[in-house]
Amino acid sequence: HTRTHTHTHRPLKRSILGRRGSEFAPIVIEWAEREWRSTNGGSVITADELWELWGRHLDALLESAGVQLCAGAAELVARLGKAGVPMAINTSSKAEAVKHKRKQHEDSLFMHMRCVVTGDDVSRGKPEPDSFLEAATHTATHSA
């Protein structure tokens, strides 16, 4: 059975936001088993299976619909770039997913970034500081 009580999903969303799939999948499964009180004696899906399904669905979504920028994002990034503000992208996404996103927004967004740090570039994902430190190091030491 499914429940869609928004208030019960908020803590889950906060706990997984920004994490890599390999890190959020076990959290989601634990939450689902607790919330939906699984009675079959085990998980309906493993963390690896959830992460694999998530990746396939995300890839399909990126291929079909692309990734839309928020209103004003391209203009803001262009103005900051022109002003010499160092910028980086720090994402928990896999490098392969970033390649899909990059195709559509290279000229409007990515060209202004000094570096792009993906979940594949660090051993520990968000909320650990590794990816932020990696982006800060590259942003400070590399010219645009």
Side-chain angles (χ1 to χ4, degrees):
H1 77 299
T2 59
R3 290 191 312 190
T4 55
H5 301 294
T6 310
H7 67 279
T8 62
H9 295 147
R10 286 186 186 136
L12 173 64
K13 183 176 180 182
R14 278 194 298 270
S15 69
I16 67 171
L17 194 61
R19 293 182 186 264
R20 296 183 287 196
S22 60
E23 297 165 338
F24 77 66
I27 296 169
V28 170
I29 290 170
E30 179 184 314
W31 178 87
E33 289 174 345
R34 186 178 61 252
E35 274 303 301
W36 298 321
R37 291 169 184 71
S38 175
T39 58
N40 66 357
S43 295
V44 174
I45 188 171
T46 68
D48 288 340
E49 291 168 334
L50 176 61
W51 179 219
E52 173 64 29
L53 283 170
W54 176 267
R56 280 192 273 150
H57 287 289
L58 182 59
D59 288 346
L61 178 64
L62 291 172
E63 287 296 325
S64 65
V67 178
Q68 302 301 313
L69 292 178
C70 295
E75 294 81 8
L76 175 62
V77 168
R79 288 183 73 184
L80 292 171
K82 187 174 182 178
V85 175
M87 294 176 283
I89 292 178
N90 176 15
T91 178
S92 295
S93 296
K94 290 184 173 187
E96 189 63 31
V98 174
K99 275 177 40 179
H100 288 293
K101 297 170 188 175
R102 198 171 186 140
K103 288 178 196 174
Q104 190 176 358
H105 301 295
E106 183 65 42
D107 293 337
S108 61
L109 187 72
F110 284 87
M111 69 177 278
H112 299 286
M113 301 299 143
R114 291 192 179 176
C115 75
V116 177
V117 177
T118 71
D120 295 336
D121 297 325
V122 293
S123 59
R124 300 180 307 166
K126 299 173 188 176
E128 298 298 329
D130 303 29
S131 59
F132 297 103
L133 294 171
E134 183 75 14
T137 298
H138 283 285
T139 303
T141 59
H142 293 91
S143 60

